[in-house]
Amino acid sequence: MPQLRYFTAGESHGPCLIGILEGLPAGLVLSVEKINQDLWRRQQGYGRGGRMKIESDTVEILAGIRRGETIGSPLALLVRNKDHKIDVLPPVTKPRPGHADLTGVLKYNRQDARDILERASARETTMRVAIGAVCKQLLAELGIELVGHVVALGPVRAQTEAMTLQQIRERSETSPVRCADAQAEQEMIEAIDRAKSEGDTLGGVFEVMATGVPVGLGSHVHWDRKLDANIARALMSVQAIKGVEVGLGFEAARRNGSQVHDEILPAEEGGMVRRTHNHAGGFEGGMTNGQPVVVRAAMKPLSTLMKPMRSVDLQTGEEVRGAVERSDVCAVPAAAVIGEAVVAIELAAAVLDKFGGDSLAELKRNFAAYVESCRRW
Ligand code: EPS
């Protein structure tokens, strides 16, 4: 069983969202401000709807810390919903194509798709971002940093290949669409405006990068410990994600091997062997290879359309239009923050699986000794 595990609970318009994160070492000083900062980042983004004007997500830590430090016991997190009205909301009987509505009512034998959509809602990702923010603080202790940013929105593609990680971080952080390319940013905003005026929605692609990741997280031996696979699974589990790429991803399938693989060059004094590029996205054989981790996820357009598509009424069986609910036009900028969080959780889990440690001091000792032993390369 992995050392790090987590659960979330909560409905979109229920009283609160709850998370339990188990397996953190003792002695990690947790900043609630940093968790709240990520919760705030997730709420931002051009194209969000009215709900984000109601909520101002902040976390309460109810267990697992004493005087601001983890003590090795499960961490219990809580975020309250201001828009708590689940018991007075009207039933939904016109399932939205693309949403969990229809499949959920059939599978769970419900009459009202509200019972499904309340949990299927991406509101749940609030808690995953809180848990990811905790994991990011653990990873930062080891020098591992993450950034999530938008690289495509609808038909618009950003050009960020020539930018450094620092540039991407700084520019995307102040962008209303979390995009580091200013030209593309403008076109993305226009695309969102267009979709909104047409009663439509827009998807896109975000990228998550992690630096400072040591060689050898994951495994080439066990299928279920391949870290690229676990990261792909985590990204695919985010609401509305339909595809994941690692490094060159699908583009690698179109090239010859010589145009894909990252050649190995001798080490410079005191360093590790060097690579010509990072097409592998930081993974070889299901293990990190010491290069930055680079993964991307494709988000479909949200399925609540103001100009709804055809559907069938669950009560009458007649053709109708899908339900119209208050929603977002585009949530790809928020998804980039969520992607950052779920990748952080998987990296933290892989770090704890490899280095163990009941205390942060023990984890850091084990980590430092291993990194030192790799220097011979
Ligand atoms: C969502 C619908 C909207 C979004 C929501 C996801 O909520 P509401 O129905 O309350 O207007 O705002 O996202 C969030 C609440 C959030 O925190 O991200 C949906 O149907 O999935």
Side-chain angles (χ1 to χ4, degrees):
M1 195 188 293
Q3 176 168 336
L4 197 73
R5 298 183 295 162
Y6 76 99
F7 282 99
T8 70
E11 277 71 41
S12 180
H13 302 94
C16 60
L17 300 157
I18 290 171
I20 294 189
L21 176 62
E22 199 213 0
L24 282 178
L28 175 67
V29 177
L30 274 185
S31 157
V32 170
E33 287 70 33
K34 283 186 182 160
I35 303 173
N36 288 341
Q37 174 68 15
D38 273 355
L39 291 176
W40 179 84
R41 291 169 74 228
R42 194 200 69 91
Q43 287 199 267
Q44 307 310 300
Y46 197 78
R48 291 285 247 162
R51 178 75 185 273
M52 289 304 102
K53 294 190 180 75
I54 299 171
E55 304 295 341
S56 48
D57 296 335
T58 50
V59 74
E60 294 165 47
I61 304 182
L62 301 178
I65 60 168
R66 182 160 178 257
R67 296 178 180 154
E69 253 186 53
T70 58
I71 52 173
S73 50
L75 203 68
L77 306 173
L78 181 133
V79 174
R80 292 180 200 276
N81 287 326
K82 288 196 174 143
D83 205 20
H84 169 204
K85 55 184 182 189
I86 192 166
D87 292 331
V88 297
L89 282 167
V92 173
T93 61
K94 301 176 175 77
R96 291 158 290 177
H99 207 278
D101 298 346
L102 176 61
T103 321
V105 291
L106 296 174
K107 179 173 164 63
Y108 284 85
N109 189 27
R110 311 306 299 164
Q111 315 301 318
D112 177 359
R114 171 86 44 209
D115 292 350
I116 306 305
L117 68 91
E118 281 293 327
R119 178 64 182 165
S121 166
R123 180 83 188 133
E124 182 266 345
T125 61
T126 308
M127 188 43 69
R128 282 198 267 179
V129 167
I131 290 170
V134 170
C135 291
K136 279 166 70 178
Q137 294 184 46
L138 178 73
L139 294 170
E141 292 283 342
L142 306 172
I144 301 171
E145 304 277 348
L146 291 102
V147 62
H149 65 114
V150 174
V151 293
L153 205 147
V156 186
R157 281 166 181 269
Q159 300 296 328
T160 57
E161 290 77 12
M163 292 182 195
T164 64
L165 189 88
Q166 196 53 27
Q167 284 169 331
I168 289 173
R169 187 193 303 281
E170 283 167 11
R171 291 185 195 174
S172 64
E173 201 58 46
T174 54
S175 163
V177 283
R178 199 161 280 285
C179 176
D181 174 348
Q183 169 72 30
E185 170 190 292
Q186 198 44 45
E187 291 169 26
M188 288 173 180
I189 289 171
E190 286 162 17
I192 293 170
D193 286 342
R194 243 185 342 269
K196 186 174 183 183
S197 71
E198 290 162 2
D200 223 323
T201 55
L202 267 189
V205 179
F206 65 81
E207 182 174 80
V208 179
M209 291 191 280
T211 55
V213 182
V215 169
L217 297 183
S219 170
H220 70 289
V221 177
H222 312 95
W223 71 267
D224 54 347
R225 293 186 217 165
K226 287 178 185 274
L227 182 54
D228 47 2
N230 287 343
I231 286 176
R233 182 177 73 150
L235 287 166
M236 281 300 296
S237 77
V238 174
Q239 288 78 344
I241 299 304
K242 291 303 246 185
V244 176
E245 285 188 327
V246 179
L248 268 189
F250 277 52
E251 172 60 21
R254 291 185 274 268
R255 299 189 185 182
N256 289 351
S258 60
Q259 303 306 304
V260 169
H261 302 299
D262 310 314
E263 287 184 291
I264 304 169
L265 306 176
E268 280 169 349
E269 190 58 34
M272 298 267 293
V273 287
R274 292 168 299 131
R275 312 300 288 256
T276 41
H277 22 62
N278 185 21
H279 290 163
F283 283 101
E284 285 167 316
M287 297 171 285
T288 52
N289 65 2
Q291 298 260 83
V293 165
V294 183
V295 291
R296 282 180 296 280
M299 184 182 196
K300 70 181 179 185
L302 299 175
S303 45
T304 307
L305 305 186
M306 293 305 135
K307 244 192 213 160
M309 298 171 80
R310 284 183 298 176
S311 180
V312 169
D313 191 290
L314 294 171
Q315 285 169 337
T316 64
E318 282 168 8
E319 185 178 311
V320 288
R321 293 279 159 177
V324 179
E325 291 249 320
R326 180 188 62 194
S327 190
D328 308 321
V329 178
C330 175
V332 185
V337 178
I338 299 159
E340 204 179 277
V342 299
V343 172
I345 296 169
E346 295 307 317
L347 284 174
V351 159
L352 288 169
D353 279 348
K354 176 150 177 59
F355 301 106
D358 295 309
S359 69
L360 183 63
E362 187 182 5
L363 169 65
K364 281 183 158 180
R365 246 187 347 260
N366 296 347
F367 185 87
Y370 170 77
V371 169
E372 187 53 38
S373 77
C374 291
R375 281 202 198 286
R376 70 182 190 274
W377 289 104

